[in-house]
Structure formats: structure tokens, C-alpha cells
Amino acid sequence: MSDNLPPPPPEQPQPSPWAPPATPPGKQQRTGLIVSLAVGGGLVVAGALVALVYSLLDSVSDSIALPPARSDAPYSDPYGEEPYDERPYGEEPVEGEPVEEEPEPVVSGPAAERDVTITKCARDSLIGWQHADLTIVNGSRSPAGYVVFVEFLDAKGAVLTDGIATTDDLAPGASVQVKAQGVGEVPTGTKCRVKQVTRDPM
């Protein structure tokens, strides 16, 4: 036997059981292509979104109306005011100026009450409400309006209800018939009484 034997072959490293399987060379090229296409598509979509947002903002800014430019014209008073009368209070008017007569004051009391007469005091048989028919004669020297307050009393003189009658622009010496209506049912035998009269010159 000869001692010249060929040396044993070197030991090959054994793959680890936990290592991932080796990738074939063609598959690695495909993965790189897919990544490149995904990045390029994302850039295209992002560019389209930016262009859309820009066009929307541009159209909105065009549709918003700007406020009108401020005028440089001088300020003018929109309301015409009456000229101020500088004549002191109580001073006599200058000759030639027309003098207006002061209207009669509002009269309330016996003087105005003399202008009013109760011509009828009656109770409605269906609903039991009392009313007073009145005649007003303007005893003043100017047209006047009247407000007449009437009370409706029971047999003992207690006030049960009241009513109001009015008239406007009654000429001096003219007369008018008005009605003061009570509110609410009253017993038979209720009486009418003028409580107050106000005469307001027109």
C-alpha cells in the first residue's frame, strides 16, 4: 500500500435551517422594476392632486367679489335739516312775519263735560251688556277730538264696568252721536254716568 493518497476535499458550509431560501437571479430584477413603477405612479398622482387644488383655489378667488373702492368725495349730510331759529325765546317777532295763533290747550273737566250728553242708557237683552248712546257738541272755537269715559253703575252706585267713546276732528258747533259699550254682563236697572271727557284741539 502506498501512503500517497489524495487529500480529502474541503468541507462545504452547510446552510442554516433558519436562513431564507436563495432568490433566483431573474426575480430580483422584477422586484426592482415594481418598486420603480410604484414610486413613479405615486409622483404622477401627487402632481395631479396639486394641479387640481391649485385650479380650485384659483376659481374660488375669482368668484369672490371685492368690496367697492372707497370714495374720495367729501362727506355730505344725507338729511336736510331745518335752519335753526336764532331768535331768543320770548322775543317779539319782527314786523312783517306772520304770527300763528296758538291752538287751544287740551281741556279736561267740567268745560269739556258740558259738550257731552247721554241720550240713551240701555242693556242688551240677549247678552246682558250695557251701553250708552252719547251726543257730543263741540263748544270750542276750533276743531277738536273727544275721548269720553263712561261708567256703568248698579242700583247702589257701585261701578260694574266701563266704556269709552271717541270722535276726531269735530268742527266748532258741530255735533255727532257716538256709543260707549260696556264689557261684561250687568243686571237690569244698571245706570250710566259720564266719568271724564277730554277735548283735544286739532
Side-chain angles (χ1 to χ4, degrees):
M1 279 189 106
S2 173
D3 291 332
N4 294 325
L5 294 173
E11 292 186 7
Q12 296 291 329
Q14 297 293 328
S16 170
W18 292 284
T23 308
K27 199 166 184 183
Q28 193 168 14
Q29 292 176 357
R30 279 191 209 154
T31 305
L33 179 63
I34 291 173
V35 170
S36 299
L37 289 175
V39 170
L43 290 175
V44 169
V45 171
L49 285 175
V50 169
L52 179 64
V53 169
Y54 178 77
S55 66
L56 284 174
L57 290 177
D58 191 34
S59 65
V60 168
S61 66
D62 289 343
S63 65
I64 295 175
L66 296 176
R70 198 166 182 185
S71 172
D72 294 332
Y75 172 75
S76 61
D77 190 0
Y79 305 106
E81 293 185 0
E82 296 290 329
Y84 178 68
D85 185 7
E86 297 182 359
R87 186 174 64 199
Y89 177 74
E91 184 178 317
E92 293 297 323
V94 180
E95 289 184 15
E97 283 188 16
V99 179
E100 295 182 6
E101 292 184 12
E102 293 185 6
E104 295 183 25
V106 175
V107 178
S108 179
E113 288 176 9
R114 285 195 293 268
D115 295 348
V116 179
T117 306
I118 297 176
T119 57
K120 183 179 179 182
C121 182
R123 176 179 178 272
D124 189 299
S125 59
L126 294 177
I127 60 174
W129 290 17
Q130 193 85 4
H131 73 272
D133 291 338
L134 310 169
T135 298
I136 302 174
V137 179
N138 185 354
S140 68
R141 296 170 313 197
S142 62
Y146 285 82
V147 180
V148 183
F149 299 88
V150 178
E151 292 179 327
F152 301 101
L153 315 171
D154 64 8
K156 295 180 181 179
V159 177
L160 300 173
T161 184
D162 55 13
I164 298 176
T166 61
T167 185
D168 290 328
D169 201 13
L170 188 62
S175 65
V176 66
Q177 280 74 38
V178 293
K179 182 178 186 178
Q181 179 66 58
V183 178
E185 188 174 353
V186 296
T188 305
T190 298
K191 298 179 182 179
C192 304
R193 177 177 69 189
V194 175
K195 178 184 179 184
Q196 182 183 352
V197 178
T198 300
R199 183 175 65 207
D200 185 11
M202 307 303 268

